[in-house]
């Protein structure tokens, strides 16, 4: 493959929630054949280790307010490298089209006329749910699951609270650790029961995974007491209570499991 130099191309690749064995086969194959990789902070060292030694590895950052490279510069760099004929991988945690700015990058590539492909990945909510044994939907408990970003803007979150506060649904919150107290207070204010089971999972699917289980009323204080740090995924809904039955070995009541 290495000698076969066609025109350059960009693959926007989702690398899943962290652990390399949750990569897709397609992503693993692309990693082994890349010339250059632009990666976010969420892409684990174990996954970067799959790149050829000769591949150029560029950290473009993107952890809360510590942007290593502005988005426009990332777009320009991808375009420039592809135009020079490189096989460029844009590696993103989880899935590129879920809270990963994959849409913006695809727009920039399309506008520049650079060929690109999107390789889906296991998004954090799906990986965390499996790892924590919390089904996202369940016939008796949750008919839908909503993925939202809990990023704080000016100390608050601009979300559709009446929708999220409805019972019989699961809410998966990305980037919600800082805003957890606001999130829970708003849900209660809009009618979600304070007793609704809720979980927060740090570094889900990795050996460093930590899980804190509580309720909408108790989770903010529990997460704080446990000293959790990003990346964390929050799951809210009656399905969280199923974990007890599905994890007979875990101390599944209100607790921290490291
Ligand atoms: N595109 C990614 C999300 C990027 S936003 C995806 O599809 O998963 C970054 C957020 O994803 C983090 O702040 C956190 O909320 C979540 N996240 C990513 N990996 C995670 C993990 N292993 N455990 C818990 N949350 C994770």
């Amino acid at each position: 493959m290495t000698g076969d130099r066609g025109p350059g191309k960009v693959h926007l690749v989702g690398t899943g929630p962290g652990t390399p064995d949750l990569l897709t086969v397609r992503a693993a194959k692309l990693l082994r054949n890349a010339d250059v990789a632009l990666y976010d902070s969420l892409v684990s060292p174990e996954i970067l280790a799959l790149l050829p030694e000769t591949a150029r590895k560029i950290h473009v950052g993107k952890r809360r307010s510590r942007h290593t490279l502005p988005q426009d510069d990332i777009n320009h760099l991808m375009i420039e490298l592809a135009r020079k004929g490189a096989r460029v991988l844009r590696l993103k945690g989880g899935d590129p089209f879920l809270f990963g700015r994959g849409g913006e990058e695809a727009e920039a590539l399309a506008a520049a006329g650079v060929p690109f492909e999107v390789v889906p990945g296991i998004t954090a909510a799906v990986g965390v749910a499996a790892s924590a044994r919390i089904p996202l939907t369940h016939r008796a408990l949750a008919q839908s699951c909503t993925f939202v970003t809990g990023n704080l803007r000016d100390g608050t979150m601009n979300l559709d609270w009446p929708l999220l506060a409805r019972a019989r649904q699961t809410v998966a919150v990305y980037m919600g650790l800082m805003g957890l107290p606001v999130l829970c207070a708003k849900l209660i204010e809009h009618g979600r029961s304070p007793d609704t089971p809720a979980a927060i999972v740090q570094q889900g699917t990795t050996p460093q995974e930590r899980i804190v289980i509580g309720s909408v009323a108790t989770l903010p204080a529990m997460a704080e007491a446990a000293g959790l740090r990003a990346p964390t995924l929050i799951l809210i809904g009656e399905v969280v209570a199923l974990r007890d039955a599905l994890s007979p070995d875990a101390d599944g009541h209100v607790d921290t499991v490291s």
Side-chain angles (χ1 to χ4, degrees):
M1 285 289 285
T2 343
D4 176 27
R5 304 213 58 99
K9 184 168 179 175
V10 177
H11 282 91
L12 298 174
V13 180
T15 59
T19 189
D21 53 4
L22 287 178
L23 280 169
T24 62
V25 174
R26 192 188 295 179
K29 195 169 158 192
L30 287 163
L31 278 158
R32 285 196 298 271
N33 289 293
D35 295 321
V36 50
L38 281 67
Y39 64 96
D40 288 351
S41 306
L42 274 177
V43 179
S44 67
E46 292 84 355
I47 287 172
L48 294 174
L50 300 176
L51 288 161
E53 260 182 41
T54 51
R56 213 174 132 197
K57 301 158 188 97
I58 307 171
H59 181 213
V60 294
K62 263 216 294 199
R63 267 272 167 94
R64 268 188 83 80
S65 66
R66 268 192 280 142
H67 288 226
T68 315
L69 213 60
Q71 188 63 51
D72 277 351
D73 293 1
I74 297 176
N75 297 349
H76 286 139
L77 187 56
M78 280 191 306
I79 292 165
E80 201 181 297
L81 289 164
R83 283 188 175 150
K84 284 185 185 150
R87 285 164 303 200
V88 182
L89 293 197
R90 175 67 177 105
L91 303 175
K92 292 168 169 294
D95 182 86
F97 276 178
L98 256 168
F99 306 128
R101 304 204 188 172
E104 291 167 46
E105 294 181 8
E107 280 176 328
L109 292 166
V114 169
F116 70 95
E117 259 179 54
V118 182
V119 180
I122 294 180
T123 191
V126 170
V128 159
S131 187
R133 300 197 180 185
I134 298 170
L136 293 176
T137 66
H138 185 279
R139 274 202 293 170
L141 299 173
Q143 293 152 330
S144 66
C145 175
T146 307
F147 293 178
V148 295
T149 162
N151 245 336
L152 282 177
R153 294 251 154 111
D154 304 324
T156 189
M157 278 174 221
N158 190 14
L159 295 174
D160 185 344
W161 298 113
L163 175 87
L164 299 181
R166 265 183 230 147
R168 292 170 62 76
Q169 66 163 325
T170 306
V171 180
V173 187
Y174 290 70
M175 296 168 276
L177 181 61
M178 303 275 284
L180 185 57
V182 175
L183 174 80
C184 292
K186 284 281 186 190
L187 287 173
I188 293 169
E189 187 187 316
H190 285 83
R192 193 114 198 201
S193 163
D195 297 331
T196 308
I200 180 162
V201 182
Q202 175 183 309
Q203 288 171 284
T205 80
T206 72
Q208 292 78 38
E209 175 173 287
R210 296 183 66 203
I211 305 177
V212 176
I213 309 268
S215 67
V216 171
T218 62
L219 198 66
M222 292 178 69
E224 165 126 47
L228 293 191
R229 277 184 291 159
T232 61
L233 196 285
I234 300 156
L235 291 175
I236 293 167
E238 289 71 17
V239 288
V240 172
L242 288 172
R243 181 168 192 274
D244 283 349
L246 301 181
S247 314
D249 299 335
D251 185 6
H253 60 283
V254 180
D255 201 358
T256 304
V257 185
S258 46

